[in-house]
Amino acid sequence: MTAPRIHGRVVAALMLFAGFALLPLVAWLADDPFLVVIGARILAYGIAALALDLILGFGAMVSFGHAAYLGFGAYAVAILSRFGITDLGLHMAAAVVVSAGFALITGAISLRTRGVYFIMITLAFGQMVYFFFTSLSAFGGDDGTGLRQRSTLLGSSVLEHDLVFFYVTLAVLMALFWLAHRIVGSRFGRVLTGIRENPTRIEAIGFAPRRYQLTAFVISGCMTAIAGVLLANQAEFVSPAFISWHRSGELIFMVVLGGAGTLSGAIAGAVTMIVLEEWLEVFTEHWKLVFGIILVLMVLYSPRGITGIIERLMRGRS
Amino acid sequence: MSRLTLHDLCLSFGALKVTDHVSLAVEPGEIHAIIGPNGAGKTTLIAQLSGQLTPDSGRIELDGSDITHLSPPARVHRGLARSFQITSVLPGFSVLENVALAVQARSGSSFRFFGRVAEEQPLNDAARAVLDATDLGDRLHVLAGALSHGEHRRLELAIALATDPSVLLLDEPLAGIGGAEAERFVEQLRARKGQLTMVLIEHDMDAVFALADRVSVLVYGRIIATGTPDQIRSDPAVRAAYLGQEEAS
């Protein structure tokens, strides 16, 4: 938690953001507009991974049901649009309110347990949400439903342009990174990180850990819901696939791959995972196997993920 | 009025009575040592005082109000702090951060999400003062996980002191340290004598007899004697149950 390390992570995040900002230029030079589409997907997952890192990396809460919040976000877009409400802000607000309520109730119950039981109970709640949406026949049930249009921004349909949508998503990611970074460095963040380090000690100096963990859990759920709103807009389609437990697992992968407890690592993890997925898919349909091997090697040789590798390289050079 | 009163505390783990009708009054400002052979139930007793364990029956009062069923954090806010026999710090935090967090617990809300806590001078200043007094003033930015054992023990004490307690429960603060380091530690505790009420569990008899105003002897969960160090030293029952063993061995 020393100052230079934290500073390094902010620099890393800023470099990632600069890279993203230049991506449309690269796409234009390479004459490959699809890059911007993938880019927006990466950004949306980056938000979700960032949100999960806040509780997994800093609060030691391994939520295996975080895809539920992606689902709340995605279905907020589909359901509200059906009723003629198309504003992006309102979609996000609805997604956040529902997610906050769900996170508050399920978090309060889940936090009565620890370790593997916490993982299992969050998985169970996630699956409940999954099955709820598979039975929502008005919105396609299992198959999901297409969106007639993307959310509108201040009454205009500028988000239909992939380029505009990309930069709006980037702006949201940057804002949420800044928010998460401030939270981690705040009084609240120090208590939360302390709980990860040693919950008994935190109690013994006068903090009731669960209140802080629950608050972080709710914040994380709300941020993930925003990612869900953006993801639905990016795909112009919503389905329960957003909520499956595979998706929750992928979010954990991203955080671990990038280096848990670093924020910028979560974003790097989202980039790496989706780029690898797209790239490996070209070579082999068994890309998930290759991906599994990469992850095993990573956990074995760099438990702190990509962040750990970069930090080691930097130290070696200086 | 006594600062801390234990009324007839009982706790059993299955058939084993770890705390057996313990009654005790700790007076304001005194250092009250609890000694006893291994397995006598000393740490279990401390855990009931600090709230990690709840007694099966009996009552604990702090300044006259019943705290038997308060959670550990609530007791800290009433002024009851503890240190652990096995060092329990935040290994990934610096020394300063460990203590600043304990200061934070008693100064204002911690549901603040934006201000940078590392830049809160009042927290850092209060933490520094405690660390200077515990000889850790030159180790502020070292990660707690990288400290030596003796430094760990001092950090453990510093964290407990930083919560600004009126009663401090010390569970073998000298465990694993000896010689000049132990003497220095005893001095630091003695310096606080009178300002702070302390319940001290310790195996180092030299430290106990140097520090304690009164001593209680715990054997198989029962207090068999309470008195001044001199009384305890000459009590035949105590010699038989405890001190004698040590001399014999």
Side-chain angles (χ1 to χ4, degrees):
Chain A
M1 286 300 111
T2 49
R5 232 192 214 175
I6 290 170
H7 178 70
R9 286 169 195 170
V10 173
V11 172
L14 290 176
M15 282 164 65
L16 277 169
F17 296 148
F20 278 125
L22 292 175
L23 183 68
L25 183 69
V26 175
W28 179 70
L29 289 174
D31 196 24
D32 188 357
F34 189 59
L35 281 182
V36 177
V37 176
I38 296 178
R41 193 150 71 89
I42 291 174
L43 290 170
Y45 275 112
I47 294 170
L50 178 75
L52 183 60
D53 192 24
L54 197 60
I55 57 166
L56 191 156
F58 292 90
M61 291 173 269
V62 182
S63 167
F64 204 169
H66 245 47
Y69 303 98
L70 286 180
F72 290 135
Y75 276 90
V77 178
I79 294 171
L80 288 179
S81 298
R82 181 77 59 89
F83 295 105
I85 301 166
T86 58
D87 185 69
L88 181 71
L90 288 176
H91 289 168
M92 285 182 177
V96 164
V97 168
V98 172
S99 295
F102 185 78
L104 195 64
I105 294 166
T106 64
I109 298 168
S110 307
L111 281 169
R112 301 171 71 89
T113 66
R114 273 191 196 172
V116 76
Y117 300 101
F118 181 84
I119 298 174
M120 287 299 122
I121 202 166
T122 49
L123 171 64
F125 281 123
Q127 288 303 94
M128 282 167 60
V129 175
Y130 174 78
F131 288 114
F132 172 78
F133 283 110
T134 55
S135 60
L136 206 61
S137 52
F139 292 90
D142 256 341
D143 301 327
T145 175
L147 298 179
R148 230 169 293 153
Q149 56 167 38
R150 282 186 177 162
S151 307
T152 53
L153 194 62
L154 305 169
S156 109
S157 54
V158 283
L159 295 179
E160 299 294 338
H161 300 280
D162 283 335
L163 193 63
V164 176
F165 180 74
F166 176 86
Y167 279 112
V168 168
T169 308
L170 177 58
V172 173
L173 172 63
M174 288 169 69
L176 290 178
F177 174 82
W178 177 81
L179 182 74
H181 175 65
R182 289 308 290 251
I183 289 176
V184 165
S186 72
R187 275 184 167 222
F188 175 82
R190 191 172 270 181
V191 180
L192 185 67
T193 320
I195 296 167
R196 173 192 74 188
E197 293 280 311
N198 185 346
T200 314
R201 167 46 75 189
I202 290 298
E203 278 205 311
I205 60 175
F207 294 108
R210 235 185 261 165
R211 293 170 58 201
Y212 295 89
Q213 289 179 302
L214 183 57
T215 306
F217 193 78
V218 171
I219 294 172
S220 172
C222 294
M223 284 172 64
T224 311
I226 289 177
V229 168
L230 294 166
L231 215 51
N233 272 297
Q234 189 273 327
E236 296 179 57
F237 180 77
V238 301
S239 84
F242 281 116
I243 316 170
S244 78
W245 63 272
H246 305 93
R247 199 56 56 103
S248 297
E250 280 169 15
L251 292 179
I252 297 175
F253 271 15
M254 288 176 189
V255 173
V256 174
L257 187 65
T262 60
L263 297 182
S264 51
I267 302 173
V271 174
T272 312
M273 174 135 175
I274 294 174
V275 168
L276 274 179
E277 184 183 310
E278 294 287 336
W279 181 63
L280 291 173
E281 234 170 0
V282 176
F283 295 106
T284 165
E285 57 181 302
H286 306 297
W287 64 272
K288 279 194 171 149
L289 185 67
V290 182
F291 191 79
I293 293 168
I294 291 174
L295 199 80
V296 168
L297 291 176
M298 195 64 132
V299 171
L300 281 179
Y301 295 104
S302 180
R304 303 186 47 77
I306 297 169
T307 309
I309 294 177
I310 293 175
E311 279 176 353
R312 236 176 295 161
L313 289 176
M314 301 288 279
R315 230 176 301 142
R317 230 178 35 181
S318 62
Chain B
M1 184 172 50
S2 301
R3 176 121 297 158
L4 185 67
T5 323
L6 287 61
H7 292 284
D8 211 22
L9 285 190
C10 290
L11 177 65
S12 299
F13 293 149
L16 183 68
K17 284 185 180 168
V18 284
T19 304
D20 191 2
H21 299 280
V22 168
S23 293
L24 198 63
V26 181
E27 302 307 323
E30 81 167 332
I31 298 185
H32 195 122
I34 296 173
I35 63 172
N38 285 327
K42 301 184 296 290
T43 295
T44 320
L45 186 62
I46 288 274
Q48 291 168 73
L49 298 183
S50 64
Q52 273 91 18
L53 292 174
T54 309
D56 296 332
S57 64
R59 200 166 73 250
I60 305 165
E61 284 176 9
L62 182 65
D63 293 321
S65 61
D66 190 340
I67 59 163
T68 318
H69 297 285
L70 287 185
S71 70
R75 292 180 202 212
V76 178
H77 288 288
R78 299 278 184 99
L80 188 71
R82 74 166 291 179
S83 77
F84 291 90
Q85 180 181 2
I86 296 161
T87 303
S88 180
V89 298
L90 310 173
F93 279 35
S94 73
V95 168
L96 182 68
E97 287 166 341
N98 264 277
V99 180
L101 187 55
V103 177
Q104 182 185 320
R106 62 168 161 89
S107 43
S109 170
S110 284
F111 280 94
R112 292 192 205 154
F113 298 90
F114 297 105
R116 291 184 200 286
V117 64
E119 289 162 15
E120 281 193 46
Q121 282 320 318
L123 295 185
N124 291 340
D125 290 346
R128 262 197 203 102
V130 176
L131 286 166
D132 282 338
T134 46
D135 289 349
L136 285 166
D138 55 346
R139 306 287 276 163
L140 297 183
H141 302 293
V142 179
L143 286 185
L147 294 179
S148 73
H149 179 73
E151 289 172 328
H152 263 147
R153 299 310 295 161
R154 297 209 294 278
L155 179 58
E156 182 77 34
L157 175 66
I159 292 171
L161 287 173
T163 64
D164 199 18
S166 64
V167 179
L168 184 56
L169 309 171
L170 295 163
D171 192 355
E172 294 199 33
L174 296 171
I177 59 175
E181 206 169 17
E183 277 170 33
R184 178 86 188 107
F185 204 106
V186 169
E187 276 318 302
Q188 287 167 357
L189 292 179
R190 203 207 303 274
R192 290 192 157 69
K193 202 165 170 165
Q195 317 154 23
L196 196 61
T197 307
M198 294 185 230
V199 176
L200 171 71
I201 290 180
E202 189 48 65
H203 270 300
D204 181 336
M205 286 305 139
D206 293 337
V208 167
F209 289 122
L211 283 169
D213 298 298
R214 287 195 300 154
V215 180
S216 292
V217 183
L218 195 68
V219 177
Y220 296 121
R222 240 171 211 291
I223 289 191
I224 61 165
T226 294
T228 64
D230 285 338
Q231 288 168 338
I232 291 299
R233 245 189 295 233
S234 56
D235 188 310
V238 174
R239 296 183 75 91
Y242 181 47
L243 293 176
Q245 292 176 349
E246 204 167 65
E247 275 161 23
S249 63

